[in-house]
Amino acid sequence: MADEARSRKLLPRRRLRRWILRVGTSALIWTVVMQLTSIAGVWQTRLPNSWPAASCFDRRGRLVNNATADASNLSVLGEDGALRGAHSTPPVLLPRRVYRSNGYLQVSCNGGLNQMRAAICDMVTVARYLNLTLVIPELDKTSFWADPSDFGDIFNVNYFINSLRDEVKIVKRLPQKFSKKIPFSMPPVSWSSEKYYLKQILPLVRKHKVLHFNKTDARLANNGLPNKLQKLRCRINYEAIRFTPQIEALGNKLISVLQRSGFFVVLHLRYEMDMLSFSGCTHGCSEGEIEELTRMRYAFPWWKEKEIDSEMRRLEGLCPLTPEEITLVLKALGFRRDTLIYIASGEIYGGERRLAMLRAAYPKIVRKEMLLSPDELRPFQNHSTQMAALDYLVSVSSDVFIPSYDGNMAKLVEGHRRYTGFRKTILLDRRELVKVLDLLHDGKLSWDEFSIAVKEVHKNRMGQPTRRKVLPGRPKEEDYFYANPQECLGPPRNTRTESRYSDI
């Protein structure tokens, strides 16, 4: 009887232990399944190597997404050619790269939006190469544009940090223990190789713990870098850098409106006051305008060149084409009168008076101010970099992109369009164009002769695959990496531009 009573007392305990064992086993199995699922998602998006994959395109020439499990979430262009905005579904978080940091790198970017964008890519690459911790870059607020925007006002900060966490640690601010420390500040040498940073910069970081680069434009060489660094520059530029959801949403609205009208061209008309003043290009300007542009050039001490021969510079192909000149070029290339043209630029110097000839030839000219309401644009007013970001999004997505000058935006858009399938980009040869334009003006060429000459000059300047021009010892004159990141490009894809304009 005693044994039966003891057995009855032990039975609930055994059942309890058995229940606990089952619950624990189920929890363990569930955890393992979730971990395997997470790992499988990461393996779908990234190779086991921590460097970017060897090819940026798959076998069909489509953009390969290296940062999330869902390729559509990070594809730069959708099937309709529009840049995608942020999706509601967050990407699979990449495993963090674990490394011993050699110190902190602070950077102050200088210039406009696209000059700063390229600098950000370079500085992340430098931080990765030297095993540093990068502090979110500071943006230029003192240049001609005087834009007060911070990094987070233009770019998606959290996405930027998380999409690169398997390469480099990026923090929003220095740790508290360094908050009162004055960092060692310097400008790195322009167009430097990775060896310069390894041999001269790394010892400085180890010594001072915090290093500040007060200038970052063109501080990394175009050529001669290891492929893994070049591919990382691409990954940062085309995958990790996203504009804020507000900018991307409005940019995508612009693209949608334009695409509903069918085929459209983006003309980056760099005929703005700052560009003309800085370059000294005054062709077609009145005496009063020439005086105004000259005064402005002298007012900015960091614009070092003051005395400029405008006509000589124009003949060398160093001036943006005027609105009148670009009108003749578009007509010579065969663009029809009903072509929808989006002008990506700031305020055109001379206003509507200088646009009169272009508008008469192409009545369907639009700008973002014409396609969006004042309420939609109000948050971006007085923020030139944010307005430029809208133009950047539209430019990358257009059927044809035509820059009138090869400035930073033109170069970065050209490279982005190459990366997304060699989309049609007409790279104007200004040196040759001004010759035939002057001959036409002087009556030494007929219109048909002029048109044939313009088409002949540009038949191989449509954004086709090509090799970067390398000029050892002359980096300013060689082709820019971000205009043609050839190490990251795959085979060209078909675009929607064929047969929409004649003879090209």
Side-chain angles (χ1 to χ4, degrees), residues 42 58 106 143 157 171 190 195 203 214 257 318 331 343 350 367 373 378 412-413 419 425 427 438 448 465:
V42 171
D58 65 14
Q106 291 183 303
S143 64
V157 177
V171 296
S190 299
K195 296 181 180 63
N214 50 35
V257 170
L318 301 177
K331 292 173 68 175
I343 294 183
R367 303 172 61 112
S373 70
R378 189 168 292 114
L412 265 76
V413 169
Y419 188 84
T425 302
L427 306 171
D438 288 347
D448 288 343

Side-chain angles (χ1 to χ4, degrees), residues 235-501:
R235 179 183 167 194
I236 300 160
N237 193 22
Y238 306 122
E239 296 179 24
I241 291 183
R242 275 194 180 180
F243 296 118
T244 63
Q246 294 82 2
I247 291 175
E248 292 214 350
L250 202 56
N252 284 338
K253 180 176 181 178
L254 278 170
I255 295 165
S256 178
V257 170
L258 290 163
Q259 288 182 337
R260 283 201 297 270
S261 299
F263 176 88
F264 77 98
V265 175
V266 166
L267 174 61
H268 184 224
L269 193 57
R270 194 68 169 94
Y271 201 77
E272 299 151 321
M273 187 176 184
D274 67 299
M275 182 71 252
L276 300 178
S277 177
F278 174 76
S279 64
C281 296
T282 57
H283 182 75
C285 294
S286 67
E287 289 296 324
E289 289 171 332
I290 293 173
E291 291 178 5
E292 181 181 41
L293 293 172
T294 303
R295 283 197 303 271
M296 180 181 180
R297 186 162 67 250
Y298 276 89
F300 287 87
W302 53 88
W303 291 359
K304 297 179 181 179
E305 195 173 3
K306 304 300 183 183
E307 294 294 328
I308 299 174
D309 186 329
S310 175
E311 283 306 309
M312 182 63 71
R313 180 155 291 190
R314 175 176 174 268
L315 291 174
E316 292 173 351
L318 301 177
C319 289
L321 295 181
T322 68
E324 296 85 0
E325 290 172 334
I326 204 73
T327 303
L328 296 172
V329 171
L330 290 176
K331 292 173 68 175
L333 286 170
F335 286 96
R336 299 191 294 261
R337 178 177 170 81
D338 63 350
T339 302
L340 177 61
I341 298 178
Y342 176 95
I343 294 183
S345 72
E347 184 177 351
I348 300 300
Y349 190 60
E352 283 300 314
R353 175 180 62 84
R354 294 308 300 269
L355 286 175
M357 181 176 173
L358 181 62
R359 196 176 293 281
Y362 295 98
K364 294 173 65 175
I365 287 179
V366 296
R367 303 172 61 112
K368 52 185 170 292
E369 292 82 0
M370 299 169 62
L371 301 177
L372 299 172
S373 70
D375 287 341
E376 289 173 313
L377 278 175
R378 189 168 292 114
F380 307 97
Q381 296 288 352
N382 302 319
H383 295 87
S384 59
T385 50
Q386 297 181 44
M387 295 287 271
L390 294 174
D391 282 341
Y392 183 94
L393 291 169
V394 177
S395 297
V396 172
S397 297
S398 64
D399 292 286
V400 183
F401 175 66
I402 308 174
S404 67
Y405 185 74
D406 56 352
N408 288 298
M409 176 168 170
K411 291 176 180 176
L412 265 76
V413 169
E414 176 193 346
H416 206 145
R417 290 172 66 84
R418 287 179 181 275
Y419 188 84
T420 53
F422 297 96
R423 298 166 72 83
K424 188 78 72 177
T425 302
I426 302 181
L427 306 171
L428 299 178
D429 187 333
R430 295 185 303 281
R431 184 193 291 266
E432 293 300 318
L433 281 174
V434 296
K435 292 179 184 177
V436 294
L437 282 163
D438 288 347
L439 289 173
L440 177 69
H441 183 266
D442 294 339
K444 297 178 181 178
L445 279 183
S446 68
W447 174 258
D448 288 343
E449 290 171 329
F450 172 74
S451 181
I452 291 170
V454 170
K455 290 172 183 173
E456 181 65 24
V457 167
H458 295 94
K459 66 181 180 180
N460 294 319
R461 297 176 65 88
M462 299 286 174
Q464 302 99 322
T466 186
R467 304 298 295 177
R468 281 198 311 272
K469 179 174 64 177
V470 180
L471 298 173
R474 295 154 58 193
K476 289 185 179 180
E477 300 174 39
E478 66 184 8
D479 290 342
Y480 191 39
F481 171 80
Y482 291 106
N484 183 15
Q486 62 193 32
E487 295 87 346
C488 309
L489 304 181
R493 294 181 294 173
N494 293 329
T495 65
R496 300 189 299 153
T497 62
E498 286 76 7
S499 303
R500 299 308 301 264
Y501 48 100

